Amino acid sequence: MFLLQSPELRELAFFSSMPDTFRRPERSAWADANRGGTVTDSFLEGPVFDGVGNLYVTDIPWGRIFRIDPQGAWTLVAEYDGEPNGMKFMDAGTLLITDYKNGLMRLDIATGRVTPYLERRNSERFKGVNDLIFDADGNLYFTDQGQSGLHDPSGRLYRLRPNGQLDLLLANVPSPNGVALSPDGRVLYLAATRGNCVWRVPLLPDGSVAKVGQFFTSYGPSGPDGLAVDGAGRLLVANPGLGYVWVLNHRAEPVLVLRGPAGASTTNLAYGGQGGQTVFVTDSTHGHILHAQLDAPGLPLHRSTRTERRAKGQGRFSELYWAAATFAAPR
């Protein structure tokens, strides 16, 4: 890669850590398959903010959802038989979860009740869903990663329309992971973790995709994971194998590198804080939340109110009507 100018390097600061009372230093089926059998007391993912400054995160191996208040205090919101990963708010009281074990699930944050949203397609289970994002028209994009990789590039990208139609957009991705949308909603960015890159997926007016290409190429032992876009249109890429967050301009050139502490696994990120200009990053293997103040706010995320309906063969889904997320300042 040729760069006209070296990127600025900035250290990620510590924000909060999972309390010892919540850590489980035990073997789990998830860690046996995904961490080489290493005892993993937690693995944080899926950060997302509510409208009053609370950060919600998932704990994949133990099926838990936590709320972290602006002072950094942790509360267990839900615990269930699942492997939750990415999350987005549907409305102020409901989170939609990509659950590797169960498909799409939803959480009532007031009661802690987790219920199915879309478990299967035409009676077939997903490989293992990973991340999700909504657009302004009510479409839900989500990745189906499973154990795909360069040896088996069969990971999938789906779109679930408001009418319940499920479209398979891509079926050839080596480990599809994080997703994010451009400010105009016409391009979807897709992290291909085992390909160590980020794909650029043009979304055409007729609902199809075309001329999908490789936007950014990384390196190292584990490739891009979570993604986010800021108000200036820059793409942020969490890279756990390096402990970095890349901040890329429109040419996919790194203009800023946020670096975690030695050994950090920077898996995912979300914007919050004063004016929505602080990026919060999960250090998954250590159970830490890191953060950095940036010069532009994150792109607001769409939310919904919903009317419950059912479609034959599609399981449960919702009609989605969107409002921009709001951000509160940590105190």
Side-chain angles (χ1 to χ4, degrees), residues 162-205:
N163 66 3
Q165 179 178 328
L166 186 63
D167 304 317
L168 177 60
L169 301 181
L170 297 172
N172 63 331
V173 190
S175 194
N177 201 324
V179 284
L181 289 165
S182 62
D184 63 8
R186 297 173 61 182
V187 170
L188 183 139
Y189 296 104
L190 170 64
T193 302
R194 305 306 162 207
N196 224 324
C197 59
V198 176
W199 289 15
R200 184 181 183 275
V201 183
L203 303 172
L204 303 185

Side-chain angles (χ1 to χ4, degrees), residues 11 16 21 45 52 62 66 70 76 122 128 139 141 151 189 194 213 243 261 293 324:
E11 303 296 327
S16 185
T21 53
E45 275 273 13
V52 294
W62 305 115
F66 290 95
L76 179 63
N122 298 328
N139 297 298
Y141 295 88
H151 71 294
Y189 296 104
R194 305 306 162 207
Q293 180 79 19

Side-chain angles (χ1 to χ4, degrees), residues 46-49 55 227-228 268-272 278-282 301 327:
V48 63
F49 276 89
L55 176 63
L227 305 178
N268 219 314
L269 63 165
Y271 274 95
T278 302
V279 65
F280 291 78
V281 182
T282 50
L301 300 175
F327 298 92

Side-chain angles (χ1 to χ4, degrees), residues 4 10-11 69 79 82 141 147 191-192 213 224 241 262 266-267 290 307 318:
L4 292 174
R10 195 180 305 173
E11 303 296 327
D69 73 15
E79 184 173 357
Y141 295 88
Q147 297 292 311
T266 48
T267 54
L290 311 172
T307 302
S318 303

Side-chain angles (χ1 to χ4, degrees), residues 51-172:
V52 294
N54 297 305
L55 176 63
Y56 288 76
V57 296
T58 60
D59 177 22
I60 299 177
W62 305 115
R64 298 184 293 181
I65 313 297
F66 290 95
R67 178 174 55 246
I68 307 169
D69 73 15
Q71 291 75 40
W74 295 57
T75 301
L76 179 63
V77 176
E79 184 173 357
Y80 70 104
D81 182 15
E83 293 173 351
N85 199 315
M87 297 190 295
K88 292 293 185 295
F89 273 98
M90 299 177 66
D91 56 53
T94 310
L95 279 165
L96 188 60
I97 303 166
T98 44
D99 184 305
Y100 186 93
K101 187 174 182 179
N102 298 308
L104 298 178
M105 307 291 285
R106 60 185 160 193
L107 166 64
D108 182 329
I109 61 174
T111 65
R113 185 168 180 251
V114 179
T115 55
Y117 186 76
L118 181 64
E119 298 172 279
R120 302 191 294 174
R121 182 193 193 195
N122 298 328
S123 77
E124 181 184 21
R125 291 283 181 182
F126 295 108
K127 288 175 173 288
V129 295
N130 185 285
D131 201 9
L132 72 169
I133 195 164
F134 301 108
D135 72 12
D137 295 322
N139 297 298
L140 169 65
Y141 295 88
F142 65 96
T143 52
D144 189 22
Q145 181 184 44
Q147 297 292 311
S148 62
L150 290 175
H151 71 294
D152 174 24
S154 62
R156 299 177 287 199
L157 171 68
Y158 283 104
R159 175 180 56 223
L160 179 61
R161 303 186 190 217
N163 66 3
Q165 179 178 328
L166 186 63
D167 304 317
L168 177 60
L169 301 181
L170 297 172
N172 63 331

